[in-house]
Amino acid sequence: ELELSKSGLFAHFKSKEQLQLEVVAEARERFTNIVVIPALKAPRGRPRVEALFEGYIKWIHGAFGTDKGPTGCILMALSYEYDDRPGPVRDALVKSQQDWLDSIARVARGAIEEGHFAKDLDARQFAFEFDGMLMAFHHATKLHLNPRAESMARKALGHLRDRASLS
C-alpha cells in the first residue's frame, strides 16, 4: 500500500526497534482515540463502563479500517510476542497495558462514586476481570471465529456489572 520496499520502509527509522516502538506508539494513539476518549465523553458511572466496552468491540471489529473482517488488537498481539523479551518494545507494551488497566479502574471508581457500583468494589479487580473478558472476546473473535463471541462478551459484561453492583 505504501509502494515502498521493505528496505525503503526501514530507511525511515534509525533501527528495527525504533520502527517497532513507533508502531506501538501509533497503535496506542489509535486505541486511545477509538476506545478511551469517546468513553470519557459518556456520563460517569455505568454508562462510561459500557462506553469502554463498546469502544473495545469497535476496536476489534475494525480499528484500522479494513474490510477484511475483525482486525483485532495489535497491542495484544504484540504483547504475546514480547511478553518474554526484555527491552524497550516490551516496556512500551507494559506501559500501554498498565495505562489501560488504570483507565478501567478509574472508570470503575467513577461508577462507585456515582452509586452505580457497590462502595466496597475493588476497582483493580474489576479492571482485571473487565480486561480478561475483553481478551477472551478477542481470542474467540480472531482465533476461533466464533460468531457468538460478541453476544457472549455482552453477557459476560452483564454478569460483571451485576456482581459489581451487588458487592
Side-chain angles (χ1 to χ4, degrees):
E1 289 179 20
L2 295 174
E3 297 182 7
L4 289 174
S5 66
K6 188 176 177 181
S7 60
L9 176 64
F10 282 133
H12 291 277
F13 302 93
K14 294 178 185 174
S15 66
K16 181 179 175 184
E17 184 175 81
Q18 186 60 43
L19 169 61
Q20 293 163 331
L21 288 168
E22 293 292 333
V23 168
V24 171
E26 177 66 22
R28 275 190 71 161
E29 184 176 338
R30 288 183 187 201
F31 183 85
T32 299
N33 290 334
I34 291 168
V35 180
V36 179
I37 290 173
L40 295 177
K41 293 177 183 175
R44 288 185 72 204
R46 271 180 73 156
R48 199 168 283 178
V49 169
E50 292 168 4
L52 273 181
F53 176 87
E54 294 300 333
Y56 191 87
I57 297 294
K58 180 180 178 183
W59 173 252
I60 297 304
H61 282 315
F64 293 100
T66 70
D67 59 358
K68 299 175 183 169
T71 58
C73 180
I74 188 172
L75 295 168
M76 194 177 302
L78 291 171
S79 294
Y80 292 134
E81 176 127 0
Y82 286 89
D83 62 354
D84 60 355
R85 294 160 102 185
V89 176
R90 181 185 186 280
D91 294 346
L93 291 163
V94 168
K95 173 78 169 112
S96 174
Q97 179 66 16
Q98 192 56 56
D99 289 348
W100 170 235
L101 290 169
D102 290 345
S103 295
I104 299 166
R106 262 192 314 281
V107 167
R109 282 191 289 279
I112 294 166
E113 291 166 7
E114 293 296 319
H116 299 160
F117 288 170
K119 291 183 193 293
D120 64 344
L121 177 72
D122 181 342
R124 299 302 295 173
Q125 180 66 32
F126 180 89
F128 177 85
E129 292 181 38
F130 188 91
D131 185 50
M133 171 193 59
L134 294 173
M135 286 182 181
F137 165 70
H138 181 271
H139 191 72
T141 299
K142 290 292 290 170
L143 182 63
H144 296 286
L145 304 175
N146 184 337
R148 294 186 52 226
E150 186 173 332
S151 64
M152 293 169 83
R154 290 183 185 287
K155 187 173 184 178
L157 175 64
H159 292 312
L160 182 59
R161 277 189 323 235
D162 291 348
R163 281 188 295 121
S165 298
L166 298 174
S167 297

